[in-house]
Amino acid sequence: MAVLARSPIAVRRRPRLRRRAYLNLLALPGLLIVSTVWAYPFLWTISTAFKTQLGAFTAGAGLVPQPLDLDNFKRAWVTAGISSYFINTVVYATGSTMIELTKSALCGYVLARYRFPGRNLLYKVIVLTLFVPVISILIPQFVLIQHLGLLNTRLGVILAQSGGAGALYVLLFAGFFENLPQDLFDAARVDGAGFLQTFWLMLPLARPIIAVVVIFQFVYNWNDFTVPLVFTLGQPDLQNLAVGMLHFQGTHSFDLTGFAAGMLISFVPVLIVFLIFQSYFVRGLAGAVKE
Amino acid sequence: MAAGRLSLSSIRALATRGAGPDGRRFWIPVFLLPFLLLYGGFTVWPLLATAYYSLFNWDGISQLSDFVGLTNYQKILGDPIFWLAFKNTLVFAVVETAIKLPLALFVAILLTRRWLLFKTFFRTVFFLPIILPVALAGLVFTYLLNPSNGAIDSFLADRGWIHTPIDLLGHGNTALIAIILVAVWQIFGQYMVYWMAALQNVPEDVYEAADIDGANELQKLIHITLPLIRPVALIITLLAIVNALHVFGVVVTLTAGGPGQASYTVSYFIYNEAFSEAPFRYGYGSAAALLFAVLAFMFVTGQAAIARGAERLRRDYSV
Amino acid sequence: MRSWNRPLGAAVLMILTAACSGGGQPSASSSAAPVTLTIQDFSVEQTDFHKQVVAEYQRVYPNVTIQWQSTAQAQYEQTLPLAFQSKQAPDLFYWQKQGSNTMNWLLSNSWISTVSPDGKVPSDWTKRWPAGSFQNGINMKDGNVYGFPWQDTHYWGPGYMYMNKGVFAQAGLDPSNPPTTWSQLADTCANIKSKTKAYCLAVPLKGTDWQRIWYAMAAGNMTDLFFDYKNGKFSLDNPAMLQTFNYLQGLYNKGYFAPGVQDKSFSRQQFAAGQAAIYMDGPWMISVWDQLGFHSDSYGVAAHPNPDGGAKGALSSLNSQNAYWVSSQTQHAAEAWKFIQWMTNPTGFFAQNFLSHQFATLAFADDKKLLTDPAWQQIFKIADKAGFRVQYPDPLLKCPALAQSKAYTDASALHPNWEHQVMVDAITSNKDLKPAAQLVVSTRQQTLEAELQKESAAGLKVSASCYEFGTNGWDYTQNFNIANYSKP
């Protein structure tokens, strides 16, 4: 590894600070403009939660609710059944995220670094199955859960939610592990690490991918209404928030302001998960070998 | 091993006996098992079942009795509306991916620079659209894009930049553009996060060494970043295209495939044909789904082959 | 690493325990006192009303708890079949998807049982409905009663023209003197366009929402259906239908439509916000607009305008109003029947409160007395006029063997909503509708005739003449009564 020539710290700091300020001055204004435009539809949705339906319509571009209507929140709380469904939603999202994470990390690791019979076939099958639209596979999944006797159970819902999209996370993990420098593995072997220990050592390096899987599986699950609805037909109190949100869709009209209010109440946990895990995207592999 | 004394390590030693130097012949199957079980049960088995259903005329409710063989496939292949949907879907996928991937990469690079302030704020802003359920996003944009009093049009009109309102959703040729833009907006954050994860693969030391050598940002991008993230980048590209090919939620809520059939995509075609009127045509829908999967796969691998061929030519001729 | 192993493990354990504890027993069905009835539909906007019904019914019959579950329509239609398949069907459910053939379809899938445990009903129950409401093949089979008409189909349907009083006043027009012919409508629109800033017609063009204005206008010229029951052919390429379309296309090209491809919610709000003068739809708008805070003192109702030479057709009233059914998997047939009787009491709690909310008309109640909103009174006046809406002939009653036929459903389920798609396409790109209409009609007609032939060759007593009522003396403007049906 190249030994970096280090100049005295004090002399180095001033130009670096100036460079930082200069780059920020360059980038921030552009980013601010883009962010405003980007966030606008979301802000519009949030402001809709405070408007009356007709008020939302006539306001057009305006973000200020006129008249202000807080009734939407009361209605949303009851219609979407937020108090009853919140716990379920958290359980499903957390449970399926952990299962997803475990199975994709394990499989991706093995797929990336070890040759075994059927490896290429597995890779090909995974890629191939990515191409099939998901619409048509609900009935067979239902039949499977029915035969497992897991209808109307939380476990059944979690399993069905973890079974679907795993393929792409496996590919991400595999790609990432494949990219790790061989030196790391050699160093571990020299230190006498076995299979499991090597894996335990390598896993933290995959923190970015872990963050990706957690964020997206959580978001996807949080908003998924099909699986929690279909697999809890006999026990509706096992449904989640996204199913509750379906109740805004009446026979003749769609309760947009109620929906917006419901979404506003319920999206905070997803935001928290994102805020926590996005911090994983600053640390790199700096000095990993030296450790 | 002493009789009657079972410890974790002794169990493990027993299990991995004969499994290779680090026990891999035991561990590899163990690691693969959870994925294979869930994947097999919830993805592979349903796919096989779908292929089986596609050979029947089935409404999803009664018994599976009306075997029609490959008739469903024949009907779909001969259906001009399917090909229209297919063409639209390809156009959508290519254009949307071409927009979102480079843009997301640029933003991801920017938002992982150590010198940037308020990183978390900007990352959150780009991520927020994903939290919106797709149904809501489409509805919101119907309001924002409508030419009567929509936000976008009134904004542009107030500043005098346009005189007649632009009706993106009202004309066949612009409806698809509207869908592409809304889809990019909605899914952008996902690819930004993917790229941020990919960029973590690049050790900070390499950048510092380049800094010492006097490289500027563009050179660092082309010669360090892109080559180093290439393997993951390929996967991200594949995922991007596949997701784009399956676009559905935005189409349903923004245009309902319209006006007319101008923004029909294959997922919407399947949904409309199979599920919008009784009796459901489950077999037909299954056949369309599988047929599309095969065609899409051929398209993507064809593109990849072309790209690889071009790459080889470039290298051969050192261009 | 190891420090967060333990709490992680604890968290996993907790979640898995929560997960495994979710499976409970579905509601017990003991034949002793407490009974739970499950009712499912997609009338989400009636949820508060359902809660009142449940409370009231429990007050009268303390041992019965009703669970009334409503969800969005698309999801409802997807999950109900799965519920039946996994033996989790509710006791009562709402289903209307197959129109007048719904009962036969439900029977063929073994989804329903008779409304009463033995299939027979007392005459003072059937007397709640007008004569002829119970017919074999529609809601009765072999003398057993399976369904009962829910909403009426004479007042409840498309074809009414709503006029925004404010916008009309700005243009110097009077809603109580509405346009009654096509040219008058065009003149009204010209007036509104020149004298006000509002659009004339709020017309939704997204998906199938185009039907709101189409059914209203096409009915006056021939029929509002995509099938011509006089000649037994699909109707879109009929000159009368094309004429209606060309008229509407003319209005669109003159700029009388509100711009954009909107869905019905948007157009309705446009009307309520005073940005459009006219909107055409059915009587459900009264309660929809009420929820928006837009009440009937702000708008007028009239019949849809007819062609200049007078009405050559009428809106259709079909035998499609049987909606709630007793499921075949119910464990409480007697309780379900008791509830149905309670629910359909014309002067009972249900009818009175349902109608006071103005959700819909009820076939078994005195709608005219209980729907008191002035807009409703106008609706009744309009629909009571002869020739506004007529009872259409039903092929199922002419040829009962059609219950086993798939020909018509296959023909019309081919490319669902195709007619709407070609019409919206033609109107937004200013194309001639004729070629596309001919393609649609010929494709559907070929399928229909080919399959009918196959079926009759296989011994089913069906033929193309089952769909043709011109020979029975029917014309588009007449009521087709039961007496007119003759055996094939």
Side-chain angles (χ1 to χ4, degrees):
Chain A
M1 217 71 208
V3 172
L4 304 170
R6 301 225 179 246
S7 12
I9 306 234
V11 176
R12 243 188 347 140
R13 198 178 280 153
R14 219 182 305 129
R16 181 153 287 189
L17 204 60
R18 252 230 301 253
R19 183 162 174 269
R20 275 192 82 163
Y22 165 70
L23 286 171
N24 270 306
L25 221 59
L26 205 60
L28 282 180
L31 270 178
L32 272 167
I33 296 180
V34 173
S35 302
T36 318
V37 174
W38 207 265
Y40 176 76
F42 195 83
L43 292 175
W44 192 89
T45 315
I46 294 182
S47 80
T48 306
F50 294 92
K51 299 178 182 164
T52 58
Q53 181 73 51
L54 265 188
F57 180 81
T58 49
L63 290 179
V64 180
Q66 225 166 24
L68 185 68
D69 182 6
L70 292 174
D71 219 29
N72 296 322
F73 290 93
K74 271 188 255 150
R75 205 172 60 247
W77 187 272
V78 171
T79 310
I82 293 183
S83 49
S84 6
Y85 294 143
F86 191 80
I87 303 285
N88 286 338
T89 318
V90 173
V91 168
Y92 294 151
T94 318
S96 80
T97 302
M98 288 198 294
I99 295 184
E100 236 359 301
L101 195 56
T102 315
K103 76 181 219 255
S104 353
L106 294 182
C107 184
Y109 178 77
V110 162
L111 215 51
R113 306 230 49 115
Y114 295 95
R115 299 273 172 284
F116 55 88
R119 175 184 182 268
N120 285 332
L121 180 65
L122 186 58
Y123 237 127
K124 288 205 178 84
V125 170
I126 291 178
V127 171
L128 243 136
T129 54
L130 281 179
F131 282 87
V132 184
V134 192
I135 300 180
S136 34
I137 63 176
L138 189 63
I139 290 189
Q141 288 181 341
F142 184 82
V143 169
L144 176 68
I145 293 276
Q146 187 183 357
H147 283 311
L148 288 177
L150 289 176
L151 279 180
N152 301 320
T153 62
R154 288 207 179 90
L155 185 61
V157 175
I158 294 181
L159 279 184
Q161 282 186 324
S162 338
L168 65 97
Y169 299 133
V170 168
L171 288 184
L172 283 177
F173 269 113
F176 185 88
F177 282 126
E178 216 172 299
N179 225 21
L180 289 181
Q182 183 62 32
D183 322 22
L184 293 174
F185 289 84
D186 295 338
R189 193 149 24 99
V190 160
D191 284 346
F195 191 98
L196 208 54
Q197 280 149 323
T198 319
F199 176 69
W200 270 139
L201 281 172
M202 297 303 152
L203 191 58
L205 297 175
R207 240 172 297 181
I209 306 287
I210 294 178
V212 166
V213 173
V214 169
I215 292 174
F216 290 120
Q217 186 63 16
F218 199 85
V219 172
Y220 172 73
N221 251 325
W222 196 263
N223 287 334
D224 179 28
F225 55 79
T226 312
V227 169
L229 175 62
V230 166
F231 291 90
T232 57
L233 292 175
Q235 255 196 290
D237 45 296
L238 291 182
Q239 288 164 0
N240 71 351
L241 279 175
V243 176
M245 302 286 240
L246 285 177
H247 294 154
F248 290 113
Q249 206 156 331
T251 325
H252 298 297
S253 58
F254 186 87
D255 186 359
L256 176 65
T257 52
F259 198 114
M263 191 220 72
L264 197 56
I265 300 177
S266 59
F267 88 107
V268 172
V270 180
L271 194 60
I272 293 178
V273 168
F274 174 74
L275 287 174
I276 295 176
F277 283 88
Q278 60 84 37
S279 63
Y280 285 16
F281 299 131
V282 278
R283 309 174 201 128
L285 291 179
V289 178
K290 292 191 199 135
E291 277 186 51
Chain B
M1 222 167 17
R5 273 223 289 164
L6 281 176
S7 65
L8 198 59
S9 53
S10 61
I11 295 178
R12 195 180 294 160
L14 205 63
T16 58
R17 206 173 32 180
D22 52 359
R24 66 177 63 184
R25 245 171 282 153
F26 169 76
W27 285 115
I28 290 183
V30 169
F31 271 38
L32 287 176
L33 198 64
F35 175 78
L36 288 179
L37 277 181
L38 283 170
Y39 180 69
F42 290 94
T43 308
V44 176
W45 140 247
L47 278 186
L48 295 175
T50 304
Y52 183 63
Y53 297 152
S54 69
L55 303 173
F56 290 80
N57 235 358
W58 190 42
D59 62 356
I61 300 175
S62 40
Q63 296 287 48
L64 258 179
S65 54
D66 192 2
F67 182 79
V68 293
L70 296 175
T71 317
N72 284 332
Y73 292 95
Q74 275 178 329
K75 278 197 235 163
I76 298 168
L77 284 173
D79 189 347
I81 299 181
F82 174 76
W83 291 112
L84 171 67
F86 185 68
K87 179 190 73 129
N88 281 340
T89 311
L90 285 189
V91 168
F92 173 87
V94 169
V95 176
E96 198 235 19
T97 308
I99 298 179
K100 75 186 175 194
L101 278 189
L103 224 59
L105 177 59
F106 176 70
V107 171
I109 291 178
L110 198 55
L111 296 187
T112 47
R113 292 311 90 196
R114 288 214 262 177
W115 47 261
L116 189 66
L117 300 168
F118 312 120
K119 273 199 286 286
T120 311
F121 169 74
F122 288 122
R123 289 180 184 183
T124 313
V125 166
F126 284 110
F127 177 74
L128 282 177
I130 300 189
I131 301 183
L132 279 186
V134 176
L136 190 56
L139 209 61
V140 166
F141 273 95
T142 319
Y143 278 76
L144 293 178
L145 289 177
N146 92 78
S148 314
N149 74 340
I152 315 282
D153 272 316
S154 45
F155 178 81
L156 295 175
D158 282 345
R159 274 149 198 66
W161 291 344
I162 53 169
H163 294 287
T164 50
I166 309 174
D167 187 6
L168 270 186
L169 298 174
H171 299 292
N173 37 14
T174 52
L176 206 57
I177 298 177
I179 294 186
I180 291 176
L181 293 177
V182 174
V184 169
W185 177 83
Q186 222 259 330
I187 209 65
F188 187 84
Q190 181 164 12
Y191 293 94
M192 178 192 75
V193 170
Y194 282 164
W195 282 129
M196 286 202 290
L199 288 171
Q200 301 308 300
N201 251 343
V202 183
E204 204 58 30
D205 323 36
V206 185
Y207 281 132
E208 286 184 13
D211 270 336
I212 301 293
D213 288 345
N216 67 16
E217 295 291 333
L218 193 62
Q219 285 170 317
K220 277 195 277 185
L221 173 70
I222 299 181
H223 296 287
I224 300 179
T225 313
L226 290 183
L228 279 179
I229 62 175
R230 197 162 171 275
V232 193
L234 283 177
I235 295 176
I236 294 177
T237 311
L238 175 68
L239 292 179
I241 295 188
V242 170
N243 273 333
L245 287 170
H246 293 158
V247 61
F248 176 65
V250 190
V251 175
V252 172
T253 50
L254 203 58
T255 60
Q261 288 162 339
S263 57
Y264 239 55
T265 57
V266 175
S267 291
Y268 188 79
F269 172 84
I270 297 174
Y271 166 76
N272 195 40
E273 292 290 325
F275 300 113
S276 68
E277 259 184 41
F280 295 154
R281 297 161 82 210
Y282 210 81
Y284 193 78
S286 303
L290 286 180
L291 191 60
F292 177 64
V294 170
L295 290 172
F297 183 74
M298 286 179 359
F299 172 72
V300 171
T301 46
Q303 297 289 312
I306 295 177
R308 251 176 292 146
E311 178 78 13
R312 210 172 298 134
L313 273 175
R314 191 177 69 84
R315 236 179 291 137
D316 287 345
Y317 290 99
S318 318
V319 167
Chain C
M1 269 290 282
R2 221 153 279 169
S3 57
W4 49 267
N5 254 355
R6 214 161 295 157
L8 182 66
V12 173
L13 213 59
M14 238 172 30
I15 298 226
L16 285 179
T17 334
C20 295
S21 65
Q25 299 293 322
S27 30
S29 56
S30 65
S31 49
V35 168
T36 308
L37 274 185
T38 321
I39 308 179
Q40 285 181 359
D41 60 17
F42 50 84
S43 311
V44 173
E45 68 283 349
Q46 299 176 15
T47 306
D48 285 341
F49 168 69
H50 293 160
K51 288 196 192 125
Q52 293 175 341
V53 169
V54 169
E56 173 67 14
Y57 197 73
Q58 186 145 47
R59 193 186 65 81
V60 179
Y61 299 104
N63 64 320
V64 179
T65 315
I66 299 181
Q67 279 180 359
W68 203 313
Q69 299 157 356
S70 311
T71 189
Q73 184 172 359
Q75 275 63 43
Y76 177 74
E77 291 171 358
Q78 189 186 29
T79 53
L80 193 65
L82 293 175
F84 270 97
Q85 183 187 334
S86 51
K87 302 277 181 288
Q88 298 177 88
D91 297 293
L92 285 158
F93 66 96
Y94 189 105
W95 196 263
Q96 259 188 336
K97 241 174 131 62
Q98 281 76 18
S100 58
N101 201 35
T102 302
M103 181 191 74
N104 297 314
W105 185 84
L106 291 170
L107 280 173
S108 69
N109 288 319
S110 312
W111 277 18
I112 54 176
S113 62
T114 52
V115 291
S116 59
D118 60 353
K120 305 285 178 265
V121 297
S123 61
D124 52 348
W125 184 70
T126 52
K127 273 217 212 77
R128 295 173 176 173
W129 284 269
S133 294
F134 290 89
Q135 299 174 44
N136 259 317
I138 304 289
N139 46 20
M140 281 179 65
K141 186 165 178 192
D142 304 327
N144 293 320
V145 177
Y146 285 89
F148 54 96
W150 181 247
Q151 64 242 27
D152 91 292
T153 51
H154 188 75
Y155 304 109
W156 189 258
Y160 301 92
M161 179 172 67
Y162 295 91
M163 298 160 286
N164 187 309
K165 282 191 184 156
V167 178
F168 264 55
Q170 276 177 34
L173 297 167
D174 183 12
S176 49
N177 197 6
T180 52
T181 67
W182 286 6
S183 357
Q184 284 180 11
L185 181 62
D187 289 338
T188 308
C189 279
N191 248 328
I192 292 186
K193 180 155 188 227
S194 60
K195 298 206 190 116
T196 70
K197 281 204 279 208
Y199 307 109
C200 180
L201 298 163
V203 179
L205 289 174
K206 199 194 258 190
T208 54
D209 291 343
W210 159 253
Q211 65 187 223
R212 319 248 151 212
I213 198 175
W214 174 253
Y215 290 162
M217 300 302 285
N221 208 19
M222 183 177 133
T223 175
D224 56 347
L225 299 178
F226 291 124
F227 193 82
D228 174 5
Y229 282 104
K230 182 170 173 186
N231 300 309
K233 291 176 75 256
F234 285 93
S235 64
L236 193 60
D237 64 348
N238 188 300
M241 302 291 263
L242 292 175
Q243 191 185 25
T244 312
F245 180 80
N246 291 333
Y247 169 72
L248 289 172
Q249 195 174 33
L251 294 183
Y252 179 84
N253 290 333
K254 291 207 191 87
Y256 296 152
F257 281 30
V261 171
Q262 316 299 353
D263 66 354
K264 58 185 192 229
S265 278
F266 192 91
S267 298
R268 293 165 176 180
Q269 287 171 73
Q270 232 173 4
F271 179 83
Q275 292 177 7
I278 296 179
Y279 176 73
M280 299 201 202
D281 209 333
W284 43 83
M285 289 318 303
I286 299 175
S287 83
V288 168
W289 278 324
D290 259 345
Q291 280 166 20
L292 290 179
F294 185 67
H295 305 295
S296 52
D297 50 354
S298 313
Y299 60 86
V301 197
H304 59 84
N306 281 317
D308 289 357
K312 298 201 209 78
L315 293 157
S316 59
S317 173
L318 306 168
N319 287 319
S320 56
Q321 62 272 54
N322 303 284
Y324 281 100
W325 310 87
V326 176
S327 95
S328 54
Q329 292 178 8
T330 181
Q331 313 266 4
H332 311 293
E335 287 295 338
W337 172 227
K338 203 165 72 181
F339 180 75
I340 292 178
Q341 289 175 293
W342 179 85
M343 182 168 71
T344 55
N345 185 346
T347 52
F349 179 89
F350 190 94
Q352 296 210 332
N353 286 285
F354 185 91
L355 292 176
S356 76
H357 281 96
Q358 302 186 123
F359 293 130
T361 52
L362 288 174
F364 48 84
D366 189 350
D367 300 314
K368 283 193 183 149
K369 195 173 87 178
L370 293 170
L371 283 169
T372 50
D373 193 306
W376 271 108
Q377 300 303 316
Q378 276 183 290
I379 299 270
F380 294 134
K381 246 194 296 187
I382 296 169
D384 277 339
K385 286 216 186 83
F388 179 75
R389 199 188 308 276
V390 297
Q391 182 74 32
Y392 263 40
D394 194 337
L396 197 56
L397 294 177
K398 182 175 181 181
C399 310
L402 281 176
Q404 278 87 47
S405 163
K406 291 211 178 70
Y408 186 82
T409 46
D410 279 350
S412 61
L414 187 66
H415 297 313
N417 312 321
W418 204 359
E419 286 87 352
H420 291 105
Q421 287 163 358
V422 301
M423 283 198 276
V424 171
D425 180 41
I427 221 179
T428 53
S429 18
N430 199 15
K431 287 204 292 236
D432 183 13
L433 179 64
K434 192 152 167 201
Q438 284 175 331
L439 175 64
V440 173
V441 168
S442 61
T443 314
R444 294 208 195 281
Q445 196 67 28
Q446 271 168 22
T447 312
L448 176 67
E449 284 167 6
E451 291 211 21
L452 279 175
Q453 265 192 342
K454 243 196 294 179
E455 284 169 353
S456 82
L460 205 57
K461 278 173 118 166
V462 298
S463 68
S465 68
C466 287
Y467 291 93
E468 212 186 307
F469 289 89
T471 47
N472 293 68
W474 181 66
D475 191 23
Y476 307 109
T477 52
Q478 297 168 0
N479 263 316
F480 196 80
N481 294 312
I482 311 177
N484 299 75
Y485 289 105
S486 54
K487 301 283 179 230

